[in-house]
Coordinates of all heavy atoms in Angstrom, one line a residue:
T1 N 9.2 8.6 -13.4 CA 8.0 9.4 -13.4 C 8.3 10.9 -13.6 O 9.5 11.2 -13.8 CB 7.2 9.1 -12.1 OG1 5.9 9.7 -12.3 CG2 7.9 9.7 -10.9
D2 N 7.4 11.7 -13.4 CA 7.6 13.2 -13.5 C 8.0 13.6 -12.1 O 7.2 14.1 -11.3 CB 6.3 13.9 -14.0 CG 6.6 15.4 -14.3 OD1 7.7 15.8 -14.1 OD2 5.6 16.0 -14.6
F3 N 9.3 13.5 -11.8 CA 9.8 13.9 -10.5 C 9.7 15.4 -10.3 O 9.9 16.2 -11.3 CB 11.2 13.4 -10.3 CG 11.4 11.9 -10.3 CD1 12.0 11.3 -11.4 CD2 10.9 11.1 -9.3 CE1 12.2 9.9 -11.5 CE2 11.0 9.8 -9.3 CZ 11.7 9.2 -10.4
D4 N 9.5 15.9 -9.1 CA 9.4 17.3 -8.8 C 10.7 18.0 -9.2 O 10.7 19.1 -9.7 CB 9.0 17.6 -7.4 CG 7.6 17.1 -7.0 OD1 6.8 17.1 -8.0 OD2 7.3 16.8 -5.9
A5 N 11.8 17.3 -8.9 CA 13.1 17.9 -9.2 C 14.1 16.8 -9.6 O 14.2 15.8 -8.9 CB 13.6 18.7 -8.0
A6 N 14.8 17.0 -10.7 CA 15.8 16.0 -11.2 C 17.1 16.4 -10.6 O 17.5 17.6 -10.5 CB 15.8 16.0 -12.7
P7 N 17.8 15.4 -10.1 CA 19.1 15.7 -9.4 C 20.1 16.4 -10.3 O 20.9 17.2 -9.8 CB 19.6 14.3 -9.1 CG 18.4 13.4 -9.0 CD 17.5 14.0 -10.0
D8 N 20.1 16.2 -11.6 CA 21.0 16.9 -12.5 C 20.6 18.2 -13.0 O 21.2 18.9 -13.8 CB 21.4 16.0 -13.7 CG 20.1 15.6 -14.5 OD1 19.0 16.1 -14.2 OD2 20.3 14.8 -15.4
G9 N 19.4 18.7 -12.5 CA 18.9 20.0 -12.8 C 18.1 20.1 -14.1 O 17.5 21.1 -14.4
A10 N 18.2 19.0 -14.9 CA 17.4 19.0 -16.2 C 16.0 18.5 -15.9 O 15.8 17.9 -14.9 CB 18.2 18.1 -17.2
P11 N 15.1 18.6 -16.9 CA 13.8 18.1 -16.7 C 13.8 16.6 -16.4 O 14.6 15.9 -17.0 CB 13.0 18.5 -18.0 CG 13.8 19.6 -18.5 CD 15.2 19.4 -18.1
S12 N 12.8 16.1 -15.6 CA 12.8 14.7 -15.4 C 12.1 13.9 -16.5 O 12.2 12.7 -16.5 CB 12.1 14.4 -14.1 OG 10.7 14.8 -14.1
L13 N 11.5 14.6 -17.4 CA 10.8 14.0 -18.6 C 11.6 14.4 -19.8 O 12.2 15.4 -19.9 CB 9.4 14.4 -18.7 CG 8.4 14.1 -17.5 CD1 7.0 14.7 -17.8 CD2 8.4 12.6 -17.2
T14 N 11.4 13.5 -20.8 CA 12.1 13.8 -22.1 C 11.2 14.8 -22.9 O 10.1 15.1 -22.5 CB 12.2 12.5 -23.0 OG1 10.9 12.0 -23.3 CG2 13.0 11.5 -22.2
E15 N 11.7 15.3 -24.0 CA 10.9 16.2 -24.9 C 9.6 15.5 -25.4 O 8.7 16.2 -25.7 CB 11.7 16.6 -26.0 CG 12.9 17.5 -25.7 CD 13.8 17.9 -26.8 OE1 13.6 17.3 -27.9 OE2 14.7 18.8 -26.7
S16 N 9.6 14.2 -25.4 CA 8.4 13.4 -25.8 C 7.4 13.2 -24.6 O 6.3 12.7 -24.9 CB 8.8 12.1 -26.4 OG 9.6 12.2 -27.5
G17 N 7.8 13.6 -23.4 CA 6.9 13.5 -22.3 C 7.0 12.2 -21.5 O 6.1 11.9 -20.7
Y18 N 8.0 11.4 -21.8 CA 8.2 10.1 -21.1 C 9.3 10.2 -20.1 O 10.2 11.1 -20.1 CB 8.4 9.0 -22.1 CG 7.3 8.8 -23.0 CD1 7.3 9.3 -24.3 CD2 6.2 8.1 -22.6 CE1 6.2 9.1 -25.2 CE2 5.1 7.9 -23.4 CZ 5.1 8.4 -24.7 OH 4.1 8.2 -25.6
P19 N 9.3 9.3 -19.1 CA 10.4 9.4 -18.0 C 11.8 9.4 -18.6 O 12.1 8.6 -19.5 CB 10.1 8.2 -17.1 CG 8.6 7.9 -17.3 CD 8.4 8.3 -18.8
R20 N 12.7 10.2 -18.0 CA 14.1 10.2 -18.4 C 14.9 9.6 -17.3 O 16.0 9.1 -17.6 CB 14.5 11.7 -18.7 CG 16.0 11.9 -19.0 CD 16.3 13.3 -19.2 NE 16.3 14.1 -18.0 CZ 17.4 14.2 -17.2 NH1 18.5 13.6 -17.5 NH2 17.3 15.0 -16.1
I21 N 14.5 9.6 -16.1 CA 15.2 9.2 -14.9 C 14.6 8.1 -14.2 O 13.3 8.0 -14.1 CB 15.4 10.4 -13.9 CG1 16.2 11.5 -14.6 CG2 15.9 10.0 -12.6 CD1 16.3 12.8 -13.8
T22 N 15.4 7.1 -13.8 CA 14.8 6.0 -13.0 C 15.5 6.0 -11.7 O 16.7 6.1 -11.6 CB 15.1 4.6 -13.7 OG1 14.5 4.6 -15.0 CG2 14.6 3.5 -12.9
K23 N 14.7 5.8 -10.6 CA 15.2 5.8 -9.3 C 14.9 4.4 -8.7 O 13.9 3.7 -9.1 CB 14.5 6.8 -8.4 CG 14.9 8.3 -8.7 CD 14.3 9.2 -7.7 CE 14.8 10.6 -7.9 NZ 14.3 11.5 -6.8
R24 N 15.7 4.0 -7.7 CA 15.5 2.8 -6.9 C 14.8 3.2 -5.6 O 15.4 3.8 -4.8 CB 16.8 2.1 -6.7 CG 16.7 0.8 -6.0 CD 18.1 0.3 -5.6 NE 18.1 -1.0 -4.9 CZ 18.4 -2.2 -5.4 NH1 18.9 -2.2 -6.7 NH2 18.4 -3.3 -4.7
W25 N 13.5 2.8 -5.5 CA 12.7 3.3 -4.4 C 12.4 2.2 -3.4 O 11.9 1.1 -3.8 CB 11.4 3.9 -4.9 CG 10.5 4.6 -3.9 CD1 10.9 5.1 -2.7 CD2 9.2 5.0 -4.1 NE1 9.8 5.7 -2.1 CE2 8.8 5.7 -2.9 CE3 8.3 4.8 -5.1 CZ2 7.5 6.2 -2.8 CZ3 7.0 5.3 -5.0 CH2 6.6 6.0 -3.8
V26 N 12.9 2.4 -2.1 CA 12.7 1.4 -1.1 C 11.4 1.7 -0.3 O 11.2 2.9 0.1 CB 13.9 1.3 -0.2 CG1 13.7 0.3 1.0 CG2 15.2 0.9 -1.0
R27 N 10.7 0.7 0.0 CA 9.4 0.9 0.8 C 9.7 1.7 2.1 O 10.7 1.4 2.8 CB 8.8 -0.5 1.1 CG 7.5 -0.4 1.8 CD 7.0 -1.8 2.2 NE 6.9 -2.7 1.0 CZ 5.8 -2.7 0.2 NH1 4.8 -1.8 0.3 NH2 5.8 -3.6 -0.8
G28 N 8.8 2.6 2.4 CA 8.9 3.4 3.6 C 9.8 4.6 3.5 O 10.0 5.3 4.5
T29 N 10.5 4.8 2.4 CA 11.4 6.0 2.2 C 10.7 7.0 1.3 O 9.7 6.7 0.6 CB 12.7 5.6 1.7 OG1 12.5 5.1 0.3 CG2 13.4 4.5 2.5
D30 N 11.2 8.2 1.4 CA 10.7 9.3 0.5 C 11.2 9.2 -0.9 O 12.4 9.0 -1.1 CB 11.1 10.7 1.1 CG 10.4 11.8 0.5 OD1 10.0 11.7 -0.7 OD2 10.2 12.8 1.2

């Protein structure tokens, strides 16, 4: 998704506006 901040410092979206980064999200965590 459009994460507020990407860990590598680059935008979390591509130039086309689609997600660039995938995270593994566990229920109940931030």
Side-chain angles (χ1 to χ4, degrees):
T1 191
D2 188 1
F3 298 109
D4 292 335
D8 58 6
S12 63
L13 300 180
T14 67
E15 292 175 351
S16 298
Y18 295 102
R20 180 180 71 88
I21 292 171
T22 299
K23 292 186 174 187
R24 183 186 179 109
W25 190 13
V26 176
R27 187 184 300 279
T29 64
D30 193 327

